[in-house]
Amino acid sequence: LWVLSVIDPDRLWANCGSEKLPNNKLLDTLPEFILDDIADVLIQSSRFRINLLGNVNIAPVCQLIQVCVCHPHFFRNPYLVSKLIEVIYMHSPDVQGTSTPLFEKIITPSSSEQFLLPALLDFYTEVESTGTSSEFYDKFSIRYHISIITKTLWFASNTTHRLTLMQCLENTKYTRFINMLLNDTTFLLDESIDSLRSIR
């Protein structure tokens, strides 16, 4: 709750969502391992004890993940945002076989319905370059997580996410996303064909 109050002191997101929260000087002084540790606990619990959070009030944690994923400009390290996206991925029905309370609480609020998918598509393009030596391979892992979340939201019973995605793709702003999606598909197809030749 305290970290969330630092990121969103005026509760703009909690009240109605906000396309972009203002920068926060206090947040800039905090070590990023605070969020990194939270993400690690949630990822490990999803792998080994998915029911660990069953009796815990996870609403503030879910809201924290929503705000951080939808406002990546708060963080200099893109891998921190990608780890929070991995939390959503690990708790998705495609991984767990059924939807978890954490996943439902993240995708259900109206603010998530409006801003989560556009934020994921934006991050899909931004992760093209992360500044590390392993960025070429890391981006495929991050984009895979985003693709699974997007697919899950597309087939969700709540059609609001589907409408949001359709509106995004009609916007010329997302032409870069489409181009990168096609480039990744072409590259992976070429790699698969080359691998088949070597197996043969």
Short mmCIF file of all heavy atoms in Angstrom, two decimals, residues 156-184:
data_model
loop_
_atom_site.label_atom_id
_atom_site.label_comp_id
_atom_site.label_asym_id
_atom_site.label_seq_id
_atom_site.Cartn_x
_atom_site.Cartn_y
_atom_site.Cartn_z
N ALA A 156 -11.44 -13.72 -23.40
CA ALA A 156 -12.12 -13.60 -22.11
C ALA A 156 -13.61 -13.37 -22.31
O ALA A 156 -14.05 -12.84 -23.35
CB ALA A 156 -11.51 -12.45 -21.31
N SER A 157 -14.39 -13.77 -21.31
CA SER A 157 -15.85 -13.61 -21.41
C SER A 157 -16.25 -12.14 -21.46
O SER A 157 -17.25 -11.77 -22.06
CB SER A 157 -16.53 -14.30 -20.22
OG SER A 157 -16.03 -13.78 -19.00
N ASN A 158 -15.43 -11.29 -20.83
CA ASN A 158 -15.67 -9.85 -20.88
C ASN A 158 -15.14 -9.31 -22.20
O ASN A 158 -13.94 -9.36 -22.47
CB ASN A 158 -14.98 -9.17 -19.69
CG ASN A 158 -15.26 -7.68 -19.64
OD1 ASN A 158 -15.83 -7.10 -20.57
ND2 ASN A 158 -14.89 -7.05 -18.54
N THR A 159 -16.02 -8.81 -23.05
CA THR A 159 -15.61 -8.38 -24.40
C THR A 159 -14.98 -6.99 -24.43
O THR A 159 -14.53 -6.56 -25.49
CB THR A 159 -16.82 -8.39 -25.35
OG1 THR A 159 -17.83 -7.50 -24.83
CG2 THR A 159 -17.40 -9.79 -25.48
N THR A 160 -14.91 -6.31 -23.30
CA THR A 160 -14.37 -4.94 -23.28
C THR A 160 -12.91 -4.93 -23.72
O THR A 160 -12.48 -4.05 -24.47
CB THR A 160 -14.48 -4.34 -21.87
OG1 THR A 160 -15.82 -4.48 -21.40
CG2 THR A 160 -14.12 -2.86 -21.88
N HIS A 161 -12.13 -5.91 -23.27
CA HIS A 161 -10.72 -5.98 -23.67
C HIS A 161 -10.59 -6.18 -25.18
O HIS A 161 -9.70 -5.62 -25.81
CB HIS A 161 -10.01 -7.12 -22.92
CG HIS A 161 -9.77 -6.83 -21.48
ND1 HIS A 161 -8.83 -5.92 -21.04
CD2 HIS A 161 -10.33 -7.34 -20.36
CE1 HIS A 161 -8.83 -5.87 -19.73
NE2 HIS A 161 -9.73 -6.73 -19.28
N ARG A 162 -11.48 -6.98 -25.74
CA ARG A 162 -11.45 -7.23 -27.18
C ARG A 162 -11.73 -5.94 -27.95
O ARG A 162 -11.06 -5.64 -28.94
CB ARG A 162 -12.49 -8.30 -27.54
CG ARG A 162 -12.35 -8.83 -28.95
CD ARG A 162 -13.40 -9.88 -29.25
NE ARG A 162 -13.38 -10.96 -28.27
CZ ARG A 162 -14.23 -11.97 -28.28
NH1 ARG A 162 -15.18 -12.03 -29.21
NH2 ARG A 162 -14.15 -12.92 -27.37
N LEU A 163 -12.69 -5.17 -27.48
CA LEU A 163 -13.00 -3.90 -28.13
C LEU A 163 -11.84 -2.92 -28.02
O LEU A 163 -11.54 -2.19 -28.96
CB LEU A 163 -14.27 -3.29 -27.50
CG LEU A 163 -15.57 -4.07 -27.73
CD1 LEU A 163 -16.71 -3.47 -26.90
CD2 LEU A 163 -15.95 -4.07 -29.21
N THR A 164 -11.19 -2.91 -26.85
CA THR A 164 -10.03 -2.04 -26.66
C THR A 164 -8.91 -2.40 -27.63
O THR A 164 -8.29 -1.52 -28.22
CB THR A 164 -9.51 -2.15 -25.21
OG1 THR A 164 -10.56 -1.80 -24.30
CG2 THR A 164 -8.32 -1.23 -24.98
N LEU A 165 -8.67 -3.70 -27.80
CA LEU A 165 -7.62 -4.14 -28.71
C LEU A 165 -7.95 -3.75 -30.15
O LEU A 165 -7.08 -3.29 -30.90
CB LEU A 165 -7.43 -5.66 -28.61
CG LEU A 165 -6.35 -6.27 -29.50
CD1 LEU A 165 -4.99 -5.63 -29.21
CD2 LEU A 165 -6.29 -7.77 -29.32
N MET A 166 -9.20 -3.90 -30.54
CA MET A 166 -9.60 -3.54 -31.90
C MET A 166 -9.43 -2.05 -32.14
O MET A 166 -8.98 -1.61 -33.21
CB MET A 166 -11.05 -3.96 -32.13
CG MET A 166 -11.24 -5.48 -32.18
SD MET A 166 -12.96 -6.00 -32.21
CE MET A 166 -13.46 -5.43 -33.83
N GLN A 167 -9.75 -1.24 -31.13
CA GLN A 167 -9.56 0.21 -31.26
C GLN A 167 -8.08 0.55 -31.37
O GLN A 167 -7.70 1.45 -32.13
CB GLN A 167 -10.19 0.91 -30.04
CG GLN A 167 -11.70 0.87 -30.03
CD GLN A 167 -12.29 1.37 -28.72
OE1 GLN A 167 -11.55 1.74 -27.80
NE2 GLN A 167 -13.60 1.37 -28.61
N CYS A 168 -7.25 -0.17 -30.63
CA CYS A 168 -5.80 0.07 -30.69
C CYS A 168 -5.27 -0.20 -32.09
O CYS A 168 -4.50 0.59 -32.64
CB CYS A 168 -5.07 -0.84 -29.70
SG CYS A 168 -5.25 -0.35 -27.98
N LEU A 169 -5.67 -1.32 -32.66
CA LEU A 169 -5.14 -1.72 -33.97
C LEU A 169 -5.64 -0.85 -35.10
O LEU A 169 -5.05 -0.82 -36.18
CB LEU A 169 -5.47 -3.19 -34.22
CG LEU A 169 -4.86 -4.18 -33.21
CD1 LEU A 169 -5.25 -5.60 -33.55
CD2 LEU A 169 -3.34 -4.04 -33.18
N GLU A 170 -6.74 -0.13 -34.86
CA GLU A 170 -7.24 0.81 -35.87
C GLU A 170 -6.48 2.12 -35.83
O GLU A 170 -6.56 2.92 -36.75
CB GLU A 170 -8.73 1.07 -35.63
CG GLU A 170 -9.63 -0.12 -35.99
CD GLU A 170 -11.06 0.11 -35.60
OE1 GLU A 170 -11.36 1.21 -35.07
OE2 GLU A 170 -11.90 -0.78 -35.83
N ASN A 171 -5.72 2.33 -34.76
CA ASN A 171 -4.95 3.57 -34.58
C ASN A 171 -3.62 3.45 -35.31
O ASN A 171 -2.90 2.46 -35.17
CB ASN A 171 -4.73 3.80 -33.07
CG ASN A 171 -4.19 5.19 -32.79
OD1 ASN A 171 -3.50 5.77 -33.61
ND2 ASN A 171 -4.50 5.71 -31.62
N THR A 172 -3.27 4.44 -36.11
CA THR A 172 -2.01 4.41 -36.87
C THR A 172 -0.79 4.37 -35.94
O THR A 172 0.30 4.00 -36.37
CB THR A 172 -1.90 5.66 -37.78
OG1 THR A 172 -2.07 6.84 -36.98
CG2 THR A 172 -2.96 5.62 -38.86
N LYS A 173 -0.99 4.74 -34.68
CA LYS A 173 0.10 4.71 -33.71
C LYS A 173 0.66 3.30 -33.56
O LYS A 173 1.84 3.11 -33.24
CB LYS A 173 -0.43 5.22 -32.36
CG LYS A 173 0.52 5.09 -31.20
CD LYS A 173 -0.18 5.51 -29.91
CE LYS A 173 0.71 5.23 -28.70
NZ LYS A 173 0.03 5.54 -27.43
N TYR A 174 -0.17 2.29 -33.81
CA TYR A 174 0.23 0.90 -33.60
C TYR A 174 0.72 0.23 -34.88
O TYR A 174 0.88 -0.99 -34.91
CB TYR A 174 -0.90 0.11 -32.96
CG TYR A 174 -1.17 0.59 -31.54
CD1 TYR A 174 -2.19 1.49 -31.27
CD2 TYR A 174 -0.37 0.16 -30.49
CE1 TYR A 174 -2.41 1.96 -29.99
CE2 TYR A 174 -0.59 0.62 -29.20
CZ TYR A 174 -1.61 1.52 -28.96
OH TYR A 174 -1.81 1.98 -27.68
N THR A 175 1.00 1.02 -35.91
CA THR A 175 1.57 0.47 -37.14
C THR A 175 2.93 -0.15 -36.84
O THR A 175 3.29 -1.21 -37.38
CB THR A 175 1.73 1.58 -38.20
OG1 THR A 175 0.46 2.17 -38.44
CG2 THR A 175 2.27 1.00 -39.50
N ARG A 176 3.70 0.49 -35.95
CA ARG A 176 5.02 -0.03 -35.57
C ARG A 176 4.89 -1.39 -34.89
O ARG A 176 5.70 -2.29 -35.10
CB ARG A 176 5.71 0.97 -34.64
CG ARG A 176 7.16 0.62 -34.34
CD ARG A 176 7.90 1.80 -33.75
NE ARG A 176 9.26 1.43 -33.40
CZ ARG A 176 9.71 1.42 -32.16
NH1 ARG A 176 8.93 1.78 -31.16
NH2 ARG A 176 10.95 1.07 -31.90
N PHE A 177 3.85 -1.54 -34.07
CA PHE A 177 3.62 -2.82 -33.41
C PHE A 177 3.36 -3.92 -34.44
O PHE A 177 3.92 -5.01 -34.36
CB PHE A 177 2.43 -2.70 -32.45
CG PHE A 177 1.85 -4.02 -32.04
CD1 PHE A 177 2.51 -4.82 -31.13
CD2 PHE A 177 0.64 -4.45 -32.56
CE1 PHE A 177 1.98 -6.05 -30.75
CE2 PHE A 177 0.09 -5.67 -32.18
CZ PHE A 177 0.77 -6.47 -31.28
N ILE A 178 2.52 -3.61 -35.43
CA ILE A 178 2.20 -4.59 -36.48
C ILE A 178 3.46 -4.96 -37.26
O ILE A 178 3.72 -6.14 -37.55
CB ILE A 178 1.13 -4.04 -37.44
CG1 ILE A 178 -0.18 -3.74 -36.69
CG2 ILE A 178 0.87 -5.02 -38.57
CD1 ILE A 178 -0.85 -4.94 -36.10
N ASN A 179 4.28 -3.95 -37.58
CA ASN A 179 5.52 -4.21 -38.32
C ASN A 179 6.46 -5.12 -37.54
O ASN A 179 7.06 -6.06 -38.09
CB ASN A 179 6.24 -2.89 -38.65
CG ASN A 179 5.51 -2.09 -39.72
OD1 ASN A 179 4.76 -2.65 -40.51
ND2 ASN A 179 5.72 -0.80 -39.74
N MET A 180 6.60 -4.85 -36.25
CA MET A 180 7.48 -5.68 -35.41
C MET A 180 6.94 -7.09 -35.26
O MET A 180 7.71 -8.06 -35.23
CB MET A 180 7.66 -5.03 -34.05
CG MET A 180 8.53 -3.79 -34.08
SD MET A 180 8.89 -3.16 -32.46
CE MET A 180 10.02 -1.85 -32.86
N LEU A 181 5.64 -7.20 -35.17
CA LEU A 181 5.01 -8.52 -35.07
C LEU A 181 5.31 -9.34 -36.32
O LEU A 181 5.68 -10.53 -36.24
CB LEU A 181 3.50 -8.36 -34.89
CG LEU A 181 2.69 -9.61 -34.57
CD1 LEU A 181 3.10 -10.20 -33.23
CD2 LEU A 181 1.20 -9.28 -34.56
N LEU A 182 5.20 -8.71 -37.49
CA LEU A 182 5.50 -9.40 -38.75
C LEU A 182 6.99 -9.74 -38.87
O LEU A 182 7.36 -10.83 -39.33
CB LEU A 182 5.06 -8.54 -39.94
CG LEU A 182 3.54 -8.34 -40.10
CD1 LEU A 182 3.27 -7.32 -41.20
CD2 LEU A 182 2.86 -9.66 -40.41
N ASN A 183 7.85 -8.82 -38.42
CA ASN A 183 9.29 -9.07 -38.46
C ASN A 183 9.67 -10.25 -37.57
O ASN A 183 10.47 -11.11 -37.95
CB ASN A 183 10.07 -7.82 -38.03
CG ASN A 183 10.02 -6.73 -39.07
OD1 ASN A 183 9.74 -6.97 -40.24
ND2 ASN A 183 10.28 -5.50 -38.64
N ASP A 184 9.11 -10.28 -36.36
CA ASP A 184 9.39 -11.38 -35.43
C ASP A 184 8.90 -12.71 -36.00
O ASP A 184 9.59 -13.73 -35.91
CB ASP A 184 8.71 -11.13 -34.07
CG ASP A 184 9.40 -10.05 -33.26
OD1 ASP A 184 10.49 -9.61 -33.68
OD2 ASP A 184 8.86 -9.65 -32.22
#
